[in-house]
Amino acid sequence: MTCSTLAAHRWLYALHNDGRLSGLASLAPWRTLVMPCLGGLVLGLFGLLIAKRFRHRPVDPIEANALHGGRMSVRDSTIVAFQTFLSNGSGASLGLEAGFTQIAAALGSFCGRLFRVRRADLRILVGCGAGGAIGAAFDAPIAGAFYAFELVIGTYSLVNLAPVAVACIAAVGTAHLLGGVSTTLSLLPHPQLTLRDTLPVLALGVFCGLIGIGTMRGVTLAEVLFRHLSLPSWLRPALGGLMVGGLALYSPSILSAGHAAVRKVLEEGQALGPICLLLIFKVLASSISIGSGFRGGLFFASLYLGVLSGSLFGFGLESLGQGGPSVTTCAVLGMSATAVAIIGVPMTMTCLILEMTADLSLASGVLLASVLSLLTVRQLFGYSFATWRFHQRGESIRSAIDVGWLRELVVEKLMQREVPCRAPEMRLAEARLSCPLGMGPHIVLTEPGGRYRGIVLLSEIHAPDHPSERSLASLALQRETVLTPGMSCREAVGLFERAEADALVVVADYATAKVVGMLSEKYVLRRYAEALDRTRRELAGEARMV
């Protein structure tokens, strides 16, 4: 994907270098404006064609592991990867990482389904694919492994370390064998971090967290604005491309993900004025790219935003004249902190920066700034970019931890289908004969058509203080509170608590109120606890050790 995209850059922009747009000093103005617009038009038409054939939305690795037990479609993922290639290849201000993690994770899912592995193992294979793709892309196997655990699998586990580590090492080895592009960064000379630099590093983490929140809010705002335009959806990427091209007239580093631009800032440095403008323009360009409908991710774009944010913070420290980390040091720390704010993976970014720079003297500062950035985002915003996108679609997931079983554990699968029913008009004398002690704790009252009228406790029927001529309807409980077959286990537990009931009747729907089963609170809680324990054992790897 990288080689194909670089070839597209060379052809579309008439380049004579390796195809890195963001490292150039200038581009032909007409190409800068036209090519992103043309790419957006092609992407929009392709999306229109796809929409006519496929009505469903592709599932990404995080959503697959959280809600679908690791099941992904290779066909859908191939489409996403191609759309990412079209977007980045035409110059949209996004990275390729979303594309190749998507297709790699889908291939892992395909292999797992081919060999019919268990649900827990299928989720691990999805993580292996995504982690291997990141490791190979950045020549950083440790960062790739942490990416798999933090973002795609959702938790660390020693038992699962072996398959993930092997996948990442194999991916990096394959990339080396095929001549993959190196991402090693060289830094300008910078002093060692000292204890007195702790407060500036903490402040830098908070600053980068705010930049990350602003970027995510900007993406949301751009999407809202483009949706309100009186344009068909397939034309929006073309307009977005034209806008991105207009911003890139200031500097080509606005285009694409920014690989070469990161290298240029760290190795050559930039003045304060250009840094401010580049940061603003890059945030706008990335927000417009996603908001208008381009495909891609903010993984590497967030690294470039971090270099700019850190450099800006470093210039601010210099202007105060109180000492502190150098501009170069702040740029490296900002690269990690801003990426953590947006992507939400502190250990991944810490290892990635250290593997890319090979400068272990920055390890403590990188980790400290990353943690403060993560805490800032969690306190003020609550989401990473991926989980924020889920939240906007109405999903409640906040990580890749497997919660899909909660939605699969519905009332219909738990309820007792054979229910003892009696007429509400039946007298207690008759009921005591037809419902002897020991037959079950509850009797359901129904009308001739099966409509629900309440629950009666068997102990109340046989209570000696009730006269024999009394009707069952006078003892009925929970006349209005019922369950439906499609209710989730969590909804059912909440309803039991609010109603203070030991058992509730399940009706086909609220309109007909026809009884189809019964469910007890004790059974729901037991199944819920069993499912939670199974998930805990899978996360810890215990299920794979037996």
Side-chain angles (χ1 to χ4, degrees), residues 371-492:
V371 170
L372 260 293
S373 174
L374 181 67
L375 291 176
T376 300
V377 173
R378 284 190 174 179
Q379 287 296 319
L380 301 180
F381 191 65
Y383 300 89
S384 67
F385 180 68
T387 55
W388 174 240
R389 307 287 286 170
F390 296 141
H391 173 71
Q392 290 177 300
R393 295 204 302 260
E395 296 287 358
S396 58
I397 58 176
R398 299 213 176 197
S399 72
I401 293 176
D402 190 6
V403 295
W405 58 268
L406 277 175
R407 300 188 181 185
E408 296 171 3
L409 203 62
V410 294
V411 168
E412 187 176 13
K413 295 183 178 181
L414 302 175
M415 68 183 186
Q416 171 191 344
R417 297 181 184 275
E418 297 296 328
V419 181
C421 297
R422 298 292 184 272
E425 299 80 14
M426 180 180 285
R427 302 299 174 183
L428 287 183
E430 184 182 354
R432 286 165 180 166
L433 293 175
S434 64
C435 304
L437 287 169
M439 70 170 290
H442 304 94
I443 304 298
V444 178
L445 304 183
T446 59
E447 295 177 349
R451 188 176 182 84
Y452 172 67
R453 289 291 302 276
I455 296 178
V456 177
L457 298 177
L458 189 65
S459 58
E460 287 292 317
I461 294 176
H462 289 273
D465 54 339
H466 295 316
S468 299
E469 65 275 7
R470 191 172 182 178
S471 67
L472 290 178
S474 64
L475 301 176
L477 303 172
Q478 309 301 338
R479 297 171 186 262
E480 304 295 333
T481 307
V482 292
L483 302 170
T484 57
M487 274 188 179
S488 68
C489 178
R490 179 178 294 178
E491 291 173 322

Side-chain angles (χ1 to χ4, degrees), residues 156-507:
Y156 302 100
S157 170
L158 289 176
V159 175
N160 296 327
L161 177 61
V164 173
V166 168
C168 294
I169 293 170
V172 172
T174 302
H176 285 178
L177 184 66
L178 299 177
V181 180
S182 174
T183 57
T184 303
L185 296 175
S186 300
L187 304 179
L188 292 171
H190 59 90
Q192 296 277 344
L193 288 172
T194 62
L195 187 60
R196 68 173 186 171
D197 296 327
T198 302
L199 286 179
V201 169
L202 293 176
L204 173 60
V206 175
F207 176 73
C208 291
L210 297 175
I211 294 292
I213 293 172
T215 302
M216 290 185 279
R217 288 290 189 187
V219 170
T220 304
L221 179 60
E223 288 182 325
V224 171
L225 292 176
F226 274 97
R227 278 200 299 267
H228 282 81
L229 291 176
S230 56
L231 281 177
S233 59
W234 60 272
L235 268 180
R236 293 172 191 167
L239 176 59
L242 184 63
M243 296 170 70
V244 170
L247 292 171
L249 290 175
Y250 172 73
S251 171
S253 61
I254 304 299
L255 298 173
S256 191
H259 291 71
V262 167
R263 192 184 304 274
K264 187 175 181 179
V265 173
L266 292 178
E267 295 178 359
E268 301 175 13
Q270 285 279 6
L272 177 59
I275 287 289
C276 291
L277 288 176
L278 286 174
L279 177 59
I280 295 171
F281 287 175
K282 185 65 178 179
V283 170
L284 288 174
S286 296
S287 300
I288 290 170
S289 296
I290 296 178
S292 62
F294 281 103
R295 279 281 188 176
L298 290 178
F299 191 101
F300 205 97
S302 66
L303 294 178
Y304 182 41
L305 289 173
V307 169
L308 297 175
S309 302
S311 299
L312 181 61
F313 186 86
F315 280 118
L317 286 180
E318 281 190 352
S319 66
L320 293 176
Q322 299 298 317
S326 66
V327 174
T328 300
T329 301
C330 288
V332 176
L333 302 186
M335 181 163 56
S336 176
T338 306
V340 168
I342 295 174
I343 309 300
V345 282
M347 290 305 301
T348 298
M349 292 305 174
T350 299
C351 294
L352 179 64
I353 300 306
L354 297 179
E355 287 181 290
M356 289 174 66
T357 62
D359 190 344
L360 294 179
S361 67
L362 299 174
S364 58
V366 168
L367 184 57
L368 187 59
S370 299
V371 170
L372 260 293
S373 174
L374 181 67
L375 291 176
T376 300
V377 173
R378 284 190 174 179
Q379 287 296 319
L380 301 180
F381 191 65
Y383 300 89
S384 67
F385 180 68
T387 55
W388 174 240
R389 307 287 286 170
F390 296 141
H391 173 71
Q392 290 177 300
R393 295 204 302 260
E395 296 287 358
S396 58
I397 58 176
R398 299 213 176 197
S399 72
I401 293 176
D402 190 6
V403 295
W405 58 268
L406 277 175
R407 300 188 181 185
E408 296 171 3
L409 203 62
V410 294
V411 168
E412 187 176 13
K413 295 183 178 181
L414 302 175
M415 68 183 186
Q416 171 191 344
R417 297 181 184 275
E418 297 296 328
V419 181
C421 297
R422 298 292 184 272
E425 299 80 14
M426 180 180 285
R427 302 299 174 183
L428 287 183
E430 184 182 354
R432 286 165 180 166
L433 293 175
S434 64
C435 304
L437 287 169
M439 70 170 290
H442 304 94
I443 304 298
V444 178
L445 304 183
T446 59
E447 295 177 349
R451 188 176 182 84
Y452 172 67
R453 289 291 302 276
I455 296 178
V456 177
L457 298 177
L458 189 65
S459 58
E460 287 292 317
I461 294 176
H462 289 273
D465 54 339
H466 295 316
S468 299
E469 65 275 7
R470 191 172 182 178
S471 67
L472 290 178
S474 64
L475 301 176
L477 303 172
Q478 309 301 338
R479 297 171 186 262
E480 304 295 333
T481 307
V482 292
L483 302 170
T484 57
M487 274 188 179
S488 68
C489 178
R490 179 178 294 178
E491 291 173 322
V493 170
L495 199 57
F496 276 115
E497 291 179 355
R498 291 192 296 274
E500 297 182 355
D502 295 324
L504 290 174
V505 166
V506 184
V507 299

